[in-house]
Amino acid sequence: MFDETDFRAKPGNKLNLTKVSTDYTAGYGSKEEAQQRIEKNIERMARIQDILYAQDKYAVLIIIQAMDAAGKDGVIKHVMSGLNPQGTMVHSFKVPSPEELDHDYLWRYNKALPERGRIGIFNRSYYEDVLVVRVHNLVEKQQRLPAEFINGDIWKQRLEDIRNFERYLHGNGMVIMKFYLHVSKQEQKQRLLARLDEPDKNWKFNSGDLQERQHWEQYREYYEEAIEATDKDYAPWYIIPADKKWFARLAISEIIADNLESLKLEYPQLGEEQLKMLSVYRDQLLDD
Ligand code: AMP
Ligand code: MG
């Protein structure tokens, strides 16, 4: 068994992802063994989602970040499958459109935030703006910031923007959970090869992933920096060992279910007057 704190970055220590296991499974031996627990977690999430929706106070934002082929889509498909689609929205953020590039970088994410009572899942997020944008130096080239606005501290500045943005969201009733799916470079290679070798997976292959793979070390460093700078109790990061897809799904479903349960949500209670009216309405219907 495991506890969500097992996957939090340890405060005070510099985060070094090369020292964090990618294939830890917390004593679980197989997919089959994990599956029952995943299903149980999905039921727990669905139960709380129903109350979340009825109560209409909290919004839940789940951010999923990872290197290519780490299993983001699979987590979303398997872990969120039991949720009520009316109360859930998934946004996958791709290369920004011309319209999106005409705005500040947080604009498109802000627009996609979940409403109260809902669970919003971000498949990639504003963290890309301190990851891929940093690796490829896109602030001036693609995002078109005026050169005099870009100084050496732009990444520090953005990480501060993000910290403040998340604190602001939290202060407005948003529960935020952030997951980094941690795969090894070797495992990524195997998964990319599978996309080439297995006909049903060919469609997933993107030659761009091979280019990004060349920047592995840089991505890792920037992830370390981003996670360290933005790992807060109001917006925690969980570093999830993801070489075994089933374990990543188990850990994420468990953490989400635990966090949602800890909110101790309850169905809205009616006042005395409203309760009295219910019996009036009941009588009306029965006499109908
Ligand atoms: P995927 O999630 O594999 O479908 O790919 C989406 C692609 O969009 C990835 O290659 C990301 O690097 C890219 N992307 C996402 N957000 C941004 C961004 N803010 N700027 C540039 N590229 C991005
Ligand atoms: Mg991809």
Side-chain angles (χ1 to χ4, degrees):
M1 270 324 301
F2 55 86
D3 178 285
E4 63 160 64
T5 55
D6 295 349
F7 303 111
R8 290 287 301 274
K10 305 288 169 263
N13 290 347
K14 192 156 171 24
L15 176 61
N16 179 344
L17 285 171
T18 63
K19 299 254 168 72
V20 181
S21 174
T22 54
D23 68 0
Y24 171 75
T25 59
Y28 282 85
S30 68
K31 186 174 176 169
E32 290 65 37
E33 201 185 333
Q35 196 54 40
Q36 277 189 345
R37 181 107 204 145
I38 295 176
E39 274 157 32
K40 197 161 177 195
N41 290 336
I42 291 172
E43 280 168 31
R44 289 164 71 202
M45 284 190 277
R47 200 176 323 126
I48 302 162
Q49 181 190 25
D50 202 49
I51 310 177
L52 188 86
Y53 190 83
Q55 208 190 31
D56 208 10
K57 285 188 177 175
Y58 295 90
V60 177
L61 175 63
I62 297 170
I63 290 182
I64 305 185
Q65 283 288 152
M67 305 284 203
D68 294 305
K72 289 186 280 95
D73 295 329
V75 162
I76 293 169
K77 182 160 129 190
H78 290 91
V79 175
M80 312 303 167
S81 60
L83 299 179
N84 178 355
Q86 285 221 80
T88 318
M89 33 223 206
V90 181
H91 286 273
S92 297
F93 293 99
K94 310 284 180 187
V95 176
S97 70
E99 187 194 14
E100 289 169 343
L101 289 170
D102 269 341
H103 293 268
D104 60 279
Y105 76 96
L106 287 175
W107 182 79
R108 64 174 181 159
Y109 310 102
N110 198 27
K111 254 191 357 169
L113 289 170
E115 301 161 54
R116 288 188 209 288
R118 318 252 172 160
I119 300 177
I121 298 150
F122 280 6
N123 180 349
R124 303 187 189 268
S125 64
Y126 38 82
Y127 284 97
E128 293 298 332
D129 294 81
V130 291
L131 294 163
V132 65
V133 173
R134 189 173 183 183
V135 168
H136 296 288
N137 211 1
L138 299 175
V139 173
E140 201 176 344
K141 268 192 300 205
Q142 187 188 67
Q143 301 197 330
R144 307 203 313 282
L145 249 69
E148 70 271 24
F149 282 55
I150 307 170
N151 58 44
D153 285 340
I154 177 112
W155 310 113
K156 234 176 152 182
Q157 183 62 54
R158 284 196 168 187
L159 289 169
E160 193 181 327
D161 293 341
I162 290 173
R163 215 161 43 231
N164 292 336
F165 182 58
E166 290 180 340
R167 200 183 50 195
Y168 164 81
L169 295 177
H170 178 77
N172 283 274
M174 195 162 300
V175 177
I176 305 172
M177 291 170 246
K178 302 179 291 192
F179 296 95
Y180 170 64
L181 299 185
H182 188 34
V183 280
S184 62
K185 198 173 177 190
Q186 183 56 30
E187 178 63 22
Q188 188 199 50
K189 181 175 172 176
Q190 295 311 319
R191 292 188 191 176
L192 293 176
L193 282 171
R195 291 178 179 187
L196 291 169
D197 295 341
E198 296 173 31
D200 288 354
K201 292 187 178 170
N202 285 165
W203 65 275
K204 287 195 199 176
F205 185 76
N206 172 359
S207 63
D209 293 353
L210 295 186
Q211 271 145 37
E212 294 315 299
R213 187 176 159 80
Q214 305 294 315
H215 301 285
W216 186 273
E217 307 306 323
Q218 223 174 16
Y219 272 109
R220 181 176 51 70
E221 266 175 45
Y222 296 161
Y223 261 113
E224 286 168 350
E225 222 176 290
I227 291 171
E228 270 201 312
T230 60
D231 180 37
K232 297 285 167 193
D233 286 339
Y234 57 78
W237 269 111
Y238 300 98
I239 301 167
I240 305 295
D243 279 359
K244 302 243 175 4
K245 290 178 183 173
W246 55 264
F247 184 74
R249 293 168 192 171
L250 170 63
I252 291 176
S253 63
E254 185 95 14
I255 291 168
I256 296 174
D258 284 356
N259 276 327
L260 292 179
E261 277 176 1
S262 74
L263 296 173
K264 304 205 183 319
L265 303 185
E266 287 183 7
Y267 284 104
Q269 300 293 315
L270 299 187
E272 227 171 282
E273 274 308 299
Q274 290 164 303
L275 281 174
K276 257 191 233 151
M277 284 313 289
L278 292 187
S279 64
V280 173
Y281 296 139
R282 183 180 301 109
D283 291 344
Q284 262 179 28
L285 266 174
L286 290 172
D287 290 345
D288 192 23

